[in-house]
Amino acid sequence: MIEALRDFVSVATLGSFSGAARQQNVAVSSITRRIEGLEAELRAKLFNRSTRVLTLTEAGQELLPRARDILAEVDDARDAVSALHAEPRGTLRVTAPTAFARLHIAPALGSFLARYPLLNVELATSDEMFDLATDRIDVAIRVGILPDSDLIAAHLAPQHRIVCASPAYLARRGTPKTPDDLLQHDCLNKHFGPVPSGWWTFAGINGYRPLPVQGSFRSNDTPSLLQAAVAGVGIVHLTSWLVSTEIASGALVPLFKDLPGYSTRQSAIYAVRLSGRSQATKTTLFIEHLREKIGSPPYWDAVFGPALR
């Protein structure tokens, strides 16, 4: 029945029997036979079949999330038993925000996979939050302030925001001495979607509310804001893990370095996982590897010296 459930989930996900057969490198007839056997056992039709469209019946819609849960439990049980006697193996599914994944997760994968050669990793990058149960994600990297949930969270690193600008911008417009001076400058700001916690917020300034800064460029993509700042368009207030390379190279200059903590409401970087059925052995190894690679304090904060520690 387990194989039939796998076939059912595969067909439902891909939308065709032939697609599921190609994915598993088996004949379509094999998939069809197992699905028909499953329908006979459940005494329910799971798919509405036509020459053009394949859709789930009401019974199929009811079964799909339960089948995914059952298969996840089976996979985790198999992994747990295998882990007692063998090296970790199989697939670890990870998701992370796009910029953080490119800068800090992908570079850490080489040493992780070299250490555990029987594992493979699937990394999905997105600034939208995946549902770990629905999407069968083992580890999700979350950046910011975590909402209340049943997820198990492991703290990876603190998060600091840095106000910085290019030498060309500062030569042209002057260097702001205090956060209040930012109101007279071009500030590159977030556009579309919620503004991240801590943007343009400073201890003891404006009642701990974001300063109403203005500027000629806004974007929903923080790497684009970073590149605009490097090009001299304006001042940014971005996370240290995003700007540290540009500051180390001199492409950007940090401002207000004597301001305690740089900003208030500092959020953090977490690895979160489901409780119970989240491939605990592989998940734990991956999280510990990230902690080791990031270090304490994080390697990207070294350029700022003790001010961020």
Side-chain angles (χ1 to χ4, degrees), residues 213-231:
V213 298
Q214 300 293 324
S216 58
F217 178 64
R218 293 179 294 166
S219 175
N220 66 331
D221 178 58
T222 48
S224 294
L225 295 176
L226 172 63
Q227 294 307 312
V230 171

Side-chain angles (χ1 to χ4, degrees), residues 214-248:
Q214 300 293 324
S216 58
F217 178 64
R218 293 179 294 166
S219 175
N220 66 331
D221 178 58
T222 48
S224 294
L225 295 176
L226 172 63
Q227 294 307 312
V230 171
V233 176
I235 300 174
V236 286
H237 193 200
L238 298 176
T239 53
S240 60
W241 58 259
L242 185 60
V243 302
S244 61
T245 298
E246 284 72 18
I247 288 177

Side-chain angles (χ1 to χ4, degrees), residues 22-305:
R22 283 194 301 271
Q23 186 182 67
Q24 299 181 43
N25 196 28
V26 298
V28 175
S29 58
S30 297
I31 301 290
T32 302
R33 187 167 55 254
R34 286 198 287 260
I35 295 292
E36 289 176 346
L38 180 62
E39 290 177 325
E41 186 170 351
L42 296 176
R43 298 180 182 179
K45 186 178 179 181
L46 300 175
F47 293 102
N48 292 312
R49 301 172 176 87
S50 73
T51 56
R52 296 190 177 187
V53 179
L54 182 72
T55 60
L56 288 168
T57 64
E58 183 178 354
Q61 293 174 355
E62 180 70 23
L63 177 62
L64 183 58
R66 297 172 185 270
R68 284 175 170 152
D69 287 343
I70 291 169
L71 293 175
E73 292 284 0
V74 169
D75 289 343
D76 290 343
R78 182 190 60 205
D79 291 340
V81 172
S82 297
L84 295 175
H85 307 289
E87 286 188 69
R89 66 179 64 221
T91 299
L92 186 71
R93 298 175 179 87
V94 181
T95 182
T98 302
F100 191 83
R102 290 175 180 171
L103 291 173
H104 305 294
I105 300 299
L109 291 179
S111 53
F112 177 73
L113 294 172
R115 182 178 293 182
Y116 304 108
L118 300 182
L119 281 177
N120 58 80
V121 174
E122 293 179 358
L123 175 62
T125 67
S126 174
D127 294 328
E128 301 297 326
M129 286 192 181
F130 284 86
D131 182 283
L132 273 65
T134 301
D135 297 303
R136 297 188 63 194
I137 299 295
D138 301 307
V139 184
I141 306 302
R142 299 277 166 85
V143 177
I145 297 175
L146 289 182
D148 291 334
S149 73
D150 294 329
L151 298 175
I152 297 174
H155 183 276
L156 295 179
Q159 179 168 245
H160 305 278
R161 294 199 175 277
I162 310 297
V163 181
C164 50
S166 71
Y169 176 88
L170 298 176
R172 185 174 77 250
R173 295 289 305 274
T175 301
K177 303 301 181 185
T178 70
D180 285 325
D181 293 341
L182 294 172
L183 299 176
Q184 310 305 317
H185 282 264
D186 263 322
C187 294
L188 311 182
N189 221 340
K190 182 80 171 177
H191 187 46
F192 301 118
V195 175
S197 176
W199 274 44
W200 308 110
T201 304
F202 306 91
I205 304 294
N206 196 37
Y208 291 92
R209 297 187 303 274
L211 285 170
V213 298
Q214 300 293 324
S216 58
F217 178 64
R218 293 179 294 166
S219 175
N220 66 331
D221 178 58
T222 48
S224 294
L225 295 176
L226 172 63
Q227 294 307 312
V230 171
V233 176
I235 300 174
V236 286
H237 193 200
L238 298 176
T239 53
S240 60
W241 58 259
L242 185 60
V243 302
S244 61
T245 298
E246 284 72 18
I247 288 177
S249 70
L252 292 176
V253 176
L255 306 176
F256 315 140
K257 297 197 323 188
D258 294 330
L259 194 67
Y262 278 54
S263 64
T264 190
R265 295 185 184 179
Q266 292 172 355
S267 51
I269 301 163
Y270 300 91
V272 301
R273 64 180 179 87
L274 291 167
S275 60
R277 53 180 184 82
S278 56
Q279 301 199 51
T281 300
K282 289 182 280 192
T283 298
T284 299
L285 291 174
F286 183 72
I287 292 173
E288 289 307 311
H289 185 78
L290 287 183
R291 279 182 168 149
E292 176 185 318
K293 299 297 288 186
I294 290 171
S296 181
Y299 64 82
W300 54 75
D301 282 348
V303 66
F304 304 103

